[in-house]
Amino acid sequence: MFLIWSSLLLLQFVDERRFGGVLPDRARARRFGRLFRSAFRRRTTWLGLAFALTSAAGFEAVGALMGPYLVDHGLEAGTIGLFLGIPVVAAMLIGGLVGGRLSDRIGRIKALALSLCGFAAMIMGLGAAEMTAGADAPPALLLGLLTGMYLGLGTFVAVSYAFFMDLTDPDLGATQFSTFMAATNGCESWSAWAGGRLVASAGYAAAFFAMSAVSLLSLSILKAFRRRPRAASDA
């Protein structure tokens, strides 16, 4: 709360005229309307929203189910808390650093595809362990696969945010980018719900395989981007 109010206080000292001038309210509203309509007429905007709504389904479902899953496999609450507090955080941090470097070296599309396939492979590994060993699967194996998933997640998040920024018109700024972020939140909501329903009806293995398959299917959306997306204002 202190940081929020401090930021609002500092805004009082910002001279808006230094950032492009101040338009009358009506002119500003008309300009915003034109930019908004233009952004949502672009094919890349809708493809980006479709990707945001589906690509993270695998790890969002596993993240929602992980607590009950590990408890069902005999891990104690303290062990789970320690795992979430240290290995998971470290894996995501390392993954984010790798993702930033990777996306700059090989491009957003390739980096997204690699990181998505990486975390999907870890989730399918969990599904395979569940099918073959069930509750007797070694905890070290499960935690290792989950750590690998979070490493891929860190990479994927770093690259996907850069990707959505590339698709965003700088003149529309936070409005368009926030729309992409809202779509990722939508993915979290529906995949957690679907994963829970699948576990209840068919078990963990079916849920892990099905939700990772949804993530892999989103690779077809990336194919629609024939080249590395540029900022929308330059396209």
Side-chain angles (χ1 to χ4, degrees), residues 119-132:
F119 74 68
M122 297 297 105
I123 297 170
M124 289 184 172
L126 287 172
E130 184 68 18
M131 287 183 64
T132 56

Side-chain angles (χ1 to χ4, degrees), residues 2 7 18 36-37 62 65 70 106 123 125 129 135 190 193 201-203:
F2 171 76
S7 300
R18 295 180 59 190
F36 188 85
R37 289 190 297 272
V62 174
L65 297 168
L70 292 177
I106 67 174
I123 297 170
W190 80 258
W193 175 84
S201 61

Side-chain angles (χ1 to χ4, degrees), residues 59-73 75 80-81 83-85 88 126 142-143 145-147 149-150 153 199 204 208:
F59 70 72
E60 295 290 9
V62 174
L65 297 168
M66 183 170 56
Y69 174 71
L70 292 177
V71 169
D72 289 346
H73 285 73
L75 278 78
I80 297 172
F83 172 69
L84 293 173
V88 166
L126 287 172
L142 302 182
L143 295 180
L145 289 169
L146 285 168
T147 301
M149 184 195 78
Y150 277 103
L153 166 59
V199 169
Y204 285 111
F208 293 163

